[in-house]
Amino acid sequence: MRITSIKCLFLIAATGALGTLTAAPAAAQGTVRRHMVYFRDKAGTPYSVAQPQAFLSARSVARRTRQGIAVLPRDLPVNPAYVTQVRGVVGKPQVHYTSRWFNAAVVSCDSATLARITSLAAVRGASTLNRSYRAPAAPTAPVQVAPLAARSTVASRAQYGPAYRQNEQIGALEMHDAGYRGEGMQVAVFDAGFPGVDKIPALQALFQDKRLLGTRNFVDGGTSVYQRSSHGTSCLSTMGANQAGFYIGSAPKASFYLCLTEDTNSEHPTEEANWLAAAEYADSAGVDVISSSLGYTTFDAPSKSYTYADMNGRTALSTRAATVAARVGMLVVNAAGNEGDDPWHYISAPADADSIVSVGAVDSLGFHAPFSSYGPTADGRVKPTLSAMGRASAVLGANGSAFRGSGTSYACPILAGMIAGFWQANPTLTAQQVIAALRNTASQATAPDAKLGYGIPSFAKAYNALHPGAPLVPKEEPVEQVERLGVFPNPTGDGQLTLALPADLRGQPLRVRVLDARGAVVAQQELPAAAGSRAPLKLGRLAKGVYVCEVSAGTALQTVKFVQQ
């Protein structure tokens, strides 16, 4: 398992749609492992494509109908009689869940029992998903993180808190101003755990408004997800948090399903099978958008790892699952990966899947984050698809405090929230038309590359391209809203800052000095005159600590403190 935050910073269950996930398998002779057991056909199934309501929710059927997508035999549940045959094999095999799309079941058993299962007439084969069985880890206590050390002094940023810039960069602020905050949209989040979600004040609106629609734990079984890694909590916060004056995410009014698919104790293909099961669960529930900050490249020995040649859109289990998820009308958003400065270098699975949005990471100024994985796919397709802020992103920890973390893990949900709002604003579009609209108006639309793909999308640009007769009118930031010098992101991780300038610092060349805690000047530079309220400042790498940024223009001089992490 690899959660794609750099260096590990961290219901509707239609009958027959997915088999019930159970707890750890009963002891059996020999080593118990998980296997994907594939069936030969769906002959004799009691289900029919003519009656999809028997295994898909009304919302799922409506999503297909709206996009002109037919219910196909691949959508039919596994024949229950075949599952009964597997369960009846000597050796007490445990069926965890079934897969409609792959016509398979995930089963725990020893090798002797597996041999008996594969000898069944209904079974065409099996593959091993893990090489050792590990009991579920005890739930970990929420990780306490330091609160944000300093906040911008710019009044216009007050409502969003430290999440302001990551929302602004992709046009989510304009989206919210236009009245689109994700209302009525459903997002499924696949991750490694969500501790604190049920307690964090900034997420309590999800429960008060009944917008937390369902939870599933595909690792341990059952529905408890407020445990294990807080990585999922942080990713969810970038979309769903909604506490004015502290932190507002990119889709603060959307509804969510939380799916725990990742086991951070090991890395085996069983987690890809969990991803598949979660995607089918999301499909059956009627979810619109999947946000997955997960990626697969190498596995624990002796499971066979992938190679870059496998990143071709048709090999990895999770990639094939993501492709089908796109085919049934969901819009899949997946992190590109954090291997840009590692030997692997390229995107991971399922980011190589066709017809999904694979998200790369940039900093607050729009520059490629060095860790963000590169494209293209092994078969030459442009990846990543789009990019969003994943360097020094503002996220919430399990204890509800804000901090900055880096990874395509965070770029992914930040963008997924905007995509949900964009689809809300354009409900007649198909998922693929939404992707095309954002891609065709992104910052590198005419010259996509292996770093940022088609670039950073803009809600307003994409919306206006679709509605030339009634475009959004951009809102200029009033001068009086910037009364004092501000700086963001704050804290910073790489010395790349944006200055928020009050009126008396505009229209003249700027002189910048940076002083450390002892008052020594550690950096200085001159900037050209700025007509607007912002000016980029690139200081280079500074030692960790508190600094004072001194900016002067003519006789005007103002200072602001910032923290280098």
Side-chain angles (χ1 to χ4, degrees), residues 336-385:
N338 295 332
E339 288 71 45
D341 53 3
D342 290 344
W344 176 274
H345 188 66
Y346 295 103
I347 57 169
S348 54
D352 64 314
D354 184 22
S355 305
I356 75 167
V357 175
S358 305
V359 188
V362 296
D363 61 20
S364 63
L365 301 180
F367 295 110
H368 174 258
F371 60 79
S372 184
S373 290
Y374 290 72
T377 60
D379 57 336
R381 287 174 289 114
V382 173
K383 291 287 181 176
T385 314

Side-chain angles (χ1 to χ4, degrees), residues 94-284:
Q94 187 75 37
V95 178
H96 294 274
Y97 44 79
T98 58
S99 168
R100 295 181 283 114
W101 298 341
F102 287 13
N103 194 24
V106 172
V107 179
S108 282
C109 63
D110 62 16
S111 57
T113 304
L114 181 64
R116 289 188 282 269
I117 291 173
T118 55
S119 69
L120 294 172
V123 174
R124 67 176 175 85
S127 61
T128 300
L129 297 173
N130 68 346
R131 294 293 175 178
S132 62
Y133 175 75
R134 297 191 187 189
T140 56
V143 177
Q144 300 297 311
V145 294
L148 196 65
R151 297 230 182 116
S152 166
T153 58
V154 183
S156 61
R157 296 164 54 84
Q159 291 296 300
Y160 288 81
Y164 181 87
R165 176 55 181 160
Q166 61 208 43
N167 280 294
E168 180 193 42
Q169 190 178 62
I170 55 176
L173 302 182
E174 295 163 298
M175 181 177 82
H176 296 170
D177 286 342
Y180 305 109
R181 294 176 171 245
E183 292 91 342
M185 301 299 293
Q186 295 187 4
V187 181
V189 186
F190 299 176
D191 220 291
F194 303 89
V197 166
D198 54 339
K199 298 179 175 63
I200 294 173
L203 292 172
Q204 288 315 291
L206 293 177
F207 299 89
Q208 295 164 4
D209 301 341
K210 295 180 169 49
R211 291 186 287 109
L212 201 294
L213 302 181
T215 60
R216 286 289 294 271
N217 185 331
F218 292 93
V219 176
D220 307 312
T223 59
S224 177
V225 298
Y226 307 127
Q227 58 185 320
R228 289 182 172 262
S229 170
S230 61
H231 185 263
T233 304
S234 296
C235 290
L236 172 66
S237 72
T238 68
M239 293 180 281
N242 190 19
Q243 187 177 354
F246 172 61
Y247 189 107
I248 296 177
S250 55
K253 291 290 185 178
S255 298
F256 295 91
Y257 286 87
L258 306 183
C259 299
L260 200 167
T261 66
E262 294 302 308
D263 181 358
T264 57
N265 294 320
S266 63
E267 177 79 332
H268 290 289
T270 187
E271 292 163 298
E272 291 191 276
N274 293 344
W275 201 106
L276 165 66
E280 293 192 22
Y281 166 64
D283 171 39
S284 65

Side-chain angles (χ1 to χ4, degrees), residues 375-515:
T377 60
D379 57 336
R381 287 174 289 114
V382 173
K383 291 287 181 176
T385 314
L386 297 168
S387 295
M389 187 169 161
R391 190 172 195 179
S393 306
V395 302
L396 301 184
N399 66 348
S401 61
F403 70 102
R404 292 198 180 275
S406 293
T408 56
S409 275
Y410 303 140
C412 172
I414 289 168
L415 182 54
M418 188 273 266
I419 287 174
F422 184 80
W423 206 355
Q424 175 197 2
N426 300 279
T428 62
L429 298 183
T430 66
Q432 296 307 306
Q433 288 171 337
V434 168
I435 294 173
L438 294 171
R439 187 185 63 202
N440 294 342
T441 53
S443 62
Q444 297 187 166
T446 59
D449 62 23
K451 290 183 177 181
L452 306 186
Y454 291 89
I456 302 168
S458 163
F459 174 87
K461 287 182 181 179
Y463 183 92
N464 291 346
L466 293 174
H467 306 277
L472 294 176
V473 179
K475 296 185 178 181
E476 294 295 331
E477 182 181 285
V479 172
E480 62 270 17
Q481 288 190 337
V482 186
E483 298 176 354
R484 294 287 303 169
L485 176 67
V487 62
F488 58 93
N490 189 3
T492 182
D494 55 13
Q496 297 187 52
L497 300 167
T498 297
L499 299 173
L501 303 173
D504 59 353
L505 291 178
R506 302 178 195 174
Q508 304 175 66
L510 301 176
R511 295 181 298 279
V512 181
R513 295 199 312 164
V514 177
L515 294 79

Side-chain angles (χ1 to χ4, degrees), residues 1-2 266-269 271-272 295-308 310-311 339 343-344 347-349:
M1 189 287 310
R2 186 183 295 272
S266 63
E267 177 79 332
H268 290 289
E271 292 163 298
E272 291 191 276
Y296 307 94
T297 55
T298 55
F299 297 114
D300 296 341
S303 291
K304 184 180 179 181
S305 296
Y306 292 125
T307 66
Y308 172 58
D310 294 322
M311 302 295 107
E339 288 71 45
W344 176 274
I347 57 169
S348 54

